[in-house]
Structure formats: structure tokens, C-alpha cells
Amino acid sequence: MPPTVLSDRPVPRLLRQARRQLMSSGSLPPDMILPELSRSWLRSWNAGLLPCGRSPGVPHASAAQLARALEHQRELVAHARPVMEFLFDQTRDTDSMVVLAGADGMLLHASGDPRFVDRAERVALRPGATWHEQYRGTNAIGTALTDDRALVVHADEHFLERNGFLTCAAAPIHAPDGHLLGALDVSGDYRGYHRHTLGLVRSAARMIEHRLFETKHDFRQWAGLRLHLHAQPEGLGTMTEGLLAVREDGILVGASVSALDVLGLAWNDLGRVPLEAVLVESLDRLCDWCQRSSQVPRVVHTVAGQTLWLRAEMGRALHYTRGVEWQPDVAPHKKDALAALETGDAVMQAAIARARKVMDKPIPLLLQGESGVGKEVFARAVHDSGARSAKSFVAVNCAALPESLIEAELFGYQGGAFTGARREGAPGRIREAHGGTLFLDEIGDMPLPLQARLLRVLQEREVVPLGGGQPVAVDFALVCATHRDLPLEMKAGRFREDLYYRLNGLTLQLPALRERSDFDHLLDAQLTCLVPDRPIAVAPDLRDSLCRYSWPGNVRQLANALRTACALLEEHESVIDWHHLSDDLAQSLGLGLSFMGNQGLESGETTEPRMAKLQAISRQAVAQAVAACAGNLSEAARVLGVSRNTVYRRLRERSGNV
């Protein structure tokens, strides 16, 4: 069922001749223009449209109606917007625009080159306008929705002559069950027509459909199997793979276009065709593979005799019905604390793999990364996964203890060693870690005198408490962490070079949350830990905003945000939405300040100019939203995801009436 493509453009002279005959006789001569175009022109004519002049009665949504349509289609819009941004980057500076339309032909979202957008608005090619074929005649969006196929409508092929300056390529977008959701379109000046544009649009539409499929059939909540298919094992996990959703009873209920193509199915087969009608391997066999290892690609065979590679994922509910305790996918050979940290990010997986190789050897670990990336969590996972897991994990934050107390805290003391000391003394944190793991967090903040004492302990493997006494032998695995650049600290004289090389057995750089590719899995894992007794989802548009946020506090900030959101959920609610967030986070997300630490700010700015610029960006975003909503402040607040009071305050600041 590949989409039809109008590959050979009709000659303009023949188009003009066909249009004249249609207007004079109400019919089209055979073989003068392509059959697909001929059928669309006849539908347009029969709908009462005239090629010349303006068509009366074309609906156009008000700001309130558009806002309601966006809310109704928010899942589609949320998944489509990042793809549209990517598509616009590929077509930038080509006098074109990228447009998303709903199934009724209403334009929901658009972005493009400003010069071309001005021209397009003259023919109402803007959000709120309806471009269904019955109102606008033959056009890429309306005809793609009517015929349910990808196509190009170029120049005079448009039924209405006033649209003849356009060349448009559109592809339909389907829900995983085949339901038509809308269409994605690239429209531009007809002189810039390029054959590759339709391929770009079709690929972008497939990207959106893949994201919709993964959301609907998330294997953490999906009560069935999710299958990934490809003719080559390297194709699994890419946009070219086929996706299938199989219900508990073996019926196919969801698919991607590529899966339908390779299996010879159509959208209307979903909900009726069983798995056994397309694959030789049974449902029980696939479930058995999942229980043993869902990450290992397997060879399967179609009923038609084709050999494919398959990776299957079993949903949580299906695990329960088959008597298997559900747990998130981890590496099959290692089910320990480190494996629980593997959620798909390549950098994190590489760090875990390297840590495994040294964790039971006398090699110290040095963890580097921004505050909140999970350095202590990583260190504890190394301890819990190794041979010392039965012994103590002792964590000391070198930046949190006063300089006057850190020496006693680390090395212990004899009774009466200093004013305020306990009569019986204290063994110290280093001795408490004997046999286990000592974790020194923020080692870069340790005072220089203590660095010398720590170096002596590491060299001699014994500790002498304050106030004297016999040296005590100690044996521990050492893990240190810092957010500082220790080589720079050494050059500045704040960190001992000899200690650095003693600590630096293996240095691992843990990625910031904004750099990780596994945000979705990390978010879901956090929710599962916070609310293990019921599935909690995140609204699609909010999830998209969370993915694009810079997270200056990294994983710690994400965990706190989700903990707050879960606490604000009502008993009957299972979806986290904007109103479940704390006000400051919701405002930062809603006002588009996701990358406020990196975008629009100069590297050398001081705090005050930086904050002034952020406030200016915030005020500008509010003003643009209010203008787009025709002055309706309530609608603008809803679009931005902030309170009306925030909108009022930003407008007063913009006008100077603070």
C-alpha cells in the first residue's frame, strides 16, 4: 500500500486547457491530466467551487476555536512540533513553510521563512484556516486527507487559480490503529519545486507516527507485545523498522506503515488479523523470548516466506497474566544495581561497563559531572553490585562539613582530643568504611591540610585518630566525586597533584540530564519508583516540554519535580499535567525558557544582565501569546501553561507599569 506520487508534472498548457473545458462543460477530457488530479478537480467542481475568484463561505477558526482544536489534538501537536522544527531546519531559506493540519483540514501549527509566510497568509495559509478539499479545492493538504495518500500539488495543478503560486507536498498522519489524524505539509514558491521534498515530508510523517505508536504502546503500560521488525538486524531501533502491537489474544491492533508494507496488510486489517496469519512463530514463542531476553534480536519468518529480524517487548500486564514478575528491561546477564541505571543512554552505558571492569579491583574511581547528575547514586550502585556489597557504604560530603570538623569526621579522634569531643572518642568515617566503600563527595572542596592526611592514609592503608593512639589498618574501596575541574584546581594551587593521581585510577564523566538520550525511559523509571502500585503517565505536550528543558539541577531536579507532581495527583488521576507542577517550573517550561542557561545569553554576562535578558524574553513570549490569542488573556495563559496573574504581571512589566 505505498502512497501514490504525482511523479510526472502535467504540462501547464494542458492544465489551462483542461480548466477551460471543465468550466464550459463540467467535465474533463480523458488522458489530458493525471487520473488522481482529474478526480480531485471533479470533486472540487461538484462541491460548487469555481477556479477563478474568491470562494465564499470558507470557515476560519477564531482564536478560541483554534485553542480548543489544539487542546483536542494536543497529543498530535506535541509529537509533531519537534519533527516540524527538524523539517523546517532542512528547508530553511527556500521560501517555504511547514504546516500541520488536523483530519478536518484545519491548520493547527505552522512555521516558515518570514518572507514566504507573509505571501502565504494572503491565501489564508495560516493556523485556524481550513484547507479541506471541499473548501479550497485541489491542494496537497486537503487532497492528501481525502485520498489518504502522500502527494504533490504543484503550481497550476491547484484547483483555485489564486493558489497557483504554491507548490505543496503533504503526507497523511495515522494513529497506531490506522485512524487518520491529520497531514503534514511543506508549501513553498512554485519556482522552488524539488522532487525530494515529498520524500522529506513522508519521512517526517513516519517519525511522528513512530512517536505516537511508542506513546500509545509503551511496554511499561501496554497490555500486550510490541514488536520491532526489519530485514536487517542493524535496522532495528531506527526509523526504518516496522512496529506492531499485538493484543494478549494475539490480534494485531497497532502498526506502522513500514510494518504494514512488509507484511502485506492494510490499516483496516488491524483489530481483525491474528499474529499467526502473518508470522510463522507463535505468540507463546515470542513471549518466551521476551522472558528470557527482550533485547536480543531473533530471526522470524512471515507466512509469505520472508525472513525478518525481530525484537519483542512484553508489556507489564502481559507479564502478570503469564505469571512473570514485571521489571524494566535490563541487561540479561546482569540484574544488579548498576543494571538498574541502564536506561538506554550510550554515554551512561559506557560508564557503567567501564565501572564493572574495575569495581572489585584496587583501583579508585573518580566521578565527575554537574551537581545532581547522580554521582552518589552511581557510587552506591557500584558498591551494591560488587563483592563488598555486604559491608558498609560510607558517604562523606567534603563540601558540607565545616573545615574545623571534617578532620575529626574523617579520621576519628581519641576521647578529650579537643573541646567538645566525646569522652569515648569516635572511630571516624574512614574506619567505618573498613571492608566496604568510602565515598568522598565533592573531593575538590577538601581543605589542603586534610588532602595531605588523606594521601597518607591511601598510601599506608592505616589511619591515626586525632589526639594520638595507635595506627589502625583500614581496607576500603574508594570512590570520589566532584563537579570541579581538578586539573585546573591543581594549577591554581587548591588541589594536591600527588593526591589527584592517587585518586584518579579511573575517571568517569557522568552526562548531564540535558545531554542524555534516554530521558523518556528515565522519566518513566522515576515514576515507577515513586508510584509503584499504579501506572502514572505524563501528558504528551508536557512530556515534550520536559524533554526540551535544560534541567540545571539534572536528575535530582527531575526527581523532585516528579515527586511533587505525584503528590498533587488526585486519587482518580493517572496523568500528570501542567497544573501538577510547581509554579516556577511550569512558568519556565511554558514561557519557553527551557534552554535559558545556553540560548540568548552571552558567555561573559554577569548575573544581573543575564536575569534582565531572561525577563525580557519572558515578557516578549507573553506579548506574542496574547497577540496570537487576539487579546484574550485567559486563552494566552492556557497556551503558555501559566496562571493569568503571571500574564498580567508580565504585561505590566512590558508596559512599564510595574
Side-chain angles (χ1 to χ4, degrees), residues 242-434:
L243 298 172
L244 277 181
V246 187
R247 208 165 55 196
E248 305 99 307
D249 58 1
I251 300 298
L252 306 182
V253 292
S256 65
V257 171
S258 51
L260 296 177
D261 289 345
V262 75
L263 297 175
L265 298 175
W267 287 118
N268 58 14
D269 289 322
L270 297 179
R272 299 186 299 109
V273 173
L275 178 68
E276 62 189 24
V278 294
L279 289 184
V280 173
E281 286 71 19
S282 66
L283 178 65
D284 286 339
R285 184 168 180 78
L286 298 185
C287 289
D288 179 61
W289 286 349
C290 285
Q291 292 171 18
R292 284 190 283 157
S293 174
S294 62
Q295 297 301 310
V296 177
R298 311 274 184 167
V299 173
V300 294
H301 306 85
T302 68
V303 173
Q306 186 176 4
T307 299
L308 298 174
W309 285 88
L310 173 142
R311 184 165 57 84
E313 296 167 313
M314 183 184 291
R316 181 189 303 191
L318 191 57
H319 268 277
Y320 288 146
T321 60
R322 291 181 173 263
V324 179
E325 182 181 357
W326 180 88
Q327 56 186 344
D329 277 343
V330 296
H333 60 289
K334 290 284 186 180
K335 296 185 178 179
D336 54 19
L338 277 173
L341 300 182
E342 294 190 51
T343 49
D345 180 73
V347 176
M348 197 67 174
Q349 287 178 335
I352 291 170
R354 300 184 74 193
R356 286 192 186 281
K357 294 182 178 181
V358 302
M359 65 184 179
D360 289 328
K361 298 179 175 65
I363 299 175
L365 271 180
L366 177 60
L367 306 179
Q368 293 189 308
E370 297 178 7
S371 178
V373 296
K375 296 187 288 292
E376 182 171 350
V377 173
F378 192 97
R380 187 177 292 274
V382 171
H383 169 78
D384 291 341
S385 302
R388 297 176 180 263
S389 59
K391 299 294 184 176
S392 298
F393 175 84
V394 178
V396 180
N397 190 324
C398 300
L401 290 172
E403 185 172 344
S404 59
L405 296 180
I406 190 172
E407 186 174 14
E409 181 75 11
L410 273 176
F411 304 106
Y413 56 87
Q414 297 278 29
F418 54 88
T419 303
R422 291 188 299 178
R423 180 179 304 173
E424 65 276 16
R429 305 293 278 167
I430 292 178
R431 286 174 62 185
E432 290 176 3
H434 180 69

Side-chain angles (χ1 to χ4, degrees), residues 56-347:
V58 179
H60 195 293
S62 65
Q65 290 171 329
L66 176 59
R68 284 193 292 271
L70 289 170
E71 177 65 21
H72 179 68
Q73 294 271 56
R74 63 178 182 174
E75 185 172 13
L76 170 64
V77 175
H79 286 303
R81 288 184 67 174
V83 178
M84 293 176 69
E85 292 172 7
F86 169 78
L87 186 56
F88 176 58
D89 283 341
Q90 312 311 306
T91 58
R92 190 184 300 273
D93 299 326
T94 59
D95 281 339
S96 62
M97 63 189 299
V98 182
V99 182
L100 175 70
D104 59 357
M106 181 189 292
L107 307 192
L108 301 173
H109 185 64
S111 58
D113 296 322
R115 185 175 61 179
F116 180 77
V117 169
D118 290 342
R119 295 181 61 196
E121 287 188 347
R122 299 172 193 170
V123 293
L125 192 61
R126 62 178 181 268
T130 297
W131 276 73
H132 197 279
E133 195 180 68
Q134 73 179 91
Y135 298 113
R136 304 282 180 178
T138 304
N139 70 89
I141 294 172
T143 305
L145 292 171
T146 301
D147 287 350
D148 194 10
R149 62 186 177 88
L151 54 82
V152 171
V153 177
H154 175 64
D156 290 336
E157 294 168 11
H158 288 86
F159 183 78
L160 301 183
E161 289 185 342
R162 63 193 303 257
N163 296 331
F165 73 97
L166 296 169
T167 182
C168 308
I173 301 171
H174 296 90
D177 62 359
H179 178 67
L180 183 63
L181 295 176
L184 185 67
D185 168 83
V186 170
S187 293
D189 187 290
Y190 78 98
R191 291 167 294 188
Y193 166 71
H194 200 292
R195 289 174 179 268
H196 292 166
T197 304
L198 183 61
L200 274 175
V201 174
R202 289 170 59 186
S203 297
R206 298 296 84 80
M207 292 171 67
I208 297 170
E209 290 176 343
H210 271 235
R211 296 189 64 173
L212 291 167
F213 182 98
E214 290 170 353
T215 299
K216 183 175 179 60
H217 299 295
D218 187 334
F219 67 89
R220 291 168 176 78
Q221 301 177 21
W222 164 237
L225 282 180
R226 190 170 76 178
L227 307 182
H228 304 251
L229 300 164
H230 202 277
Q232 302 170 5
E234 295 82 5
L236 296 174
T238 71
M239 288 304 302
T240 62
E241 71 176 355
L243 298 172
L244 277 181
V246 187
R247 208 165 55 196
E248 305 99 307
D249 58 1
I251 300 298
L252 306 182
V253 292
S256 65
V257 171
S258 51
L260 296 177
D261 289 345
V262 75
L263 297 175
L265 298 175
W267 287 118
N268 58 14
D269 289 322
L270 297 179
R272 299 186 299 109
V273 173
L275 178 68
E276 62 189 24
V278 294
L279 289 184
V280 173
E281 286 71 19
S282 66
L283 178 65
D284 286 339
R285 184 168 180 78
L286 298 185
C287 289
D288 179 61
W289 286 349
C290 285
Q291 292 171 18
R292 284 190 283 157
S293 174
S294 62
Q295 297 301 310
V296 177
R298 311 274 184 167
V299 173
V300 294
H301 306 85
T302 68
V303 173
Q306 186 176 4
T307 299
L308 298 174
W309 285 88
L310 173 142
R311 184 165 57 84
E313 296 167 313
M314 183 184 291
R316 181 189 303 191
L318 191 57
H319 268 277
Y320 288 146
T321 60
R322 291 181 173 263
V324 179
E325 182 181 357
W326 180 88
Q327 56 186 344
D329 277 343
V330 296
H333 60 289
K334 290 284 186 180
K335 296 185 178 179
D336 54 19
L338 277 173
L341 300 182
E342 294 190 51
T343 49
D345 180 73
V347 176

Side-chain angles (χ1 to χ4, degrees), residues 510-552:
L510 302 188
L513 181 55
R514 62 181 173 275
E515 299 169 348
R516 293 178 63 161
S517 60
D518 59 345
F519 181 87
D520 279 326
H521 293 293
L522 195 59
L523 185 149
D524 292 332
Q526 293 274 4
L527 288 175
T528 301
C529 291
L530 290 170
V531 190
D533 55 339
R534 60 177 173 140
I536 300 295
V538 179
D541 59 333
L542 174 57
R543 178 182 283 265
D544 182 64
S545 294
L546 293 173
C547 287
R548 292 185 288 110
Y549 186 52
S550 64
W551 295 107

Side-chain angles (χ1 to χ4, degrees), residues 17-30 38 42 45:
Q17 183 178 341
R19 183 175 277 108
R20 285 195 297 269
Q21 180 164 333
L22 178 63
M23 295 181 66
S24 63
S25 65
S27 63
L28 287 169
S38 177
L42 287 173
W45 177 262

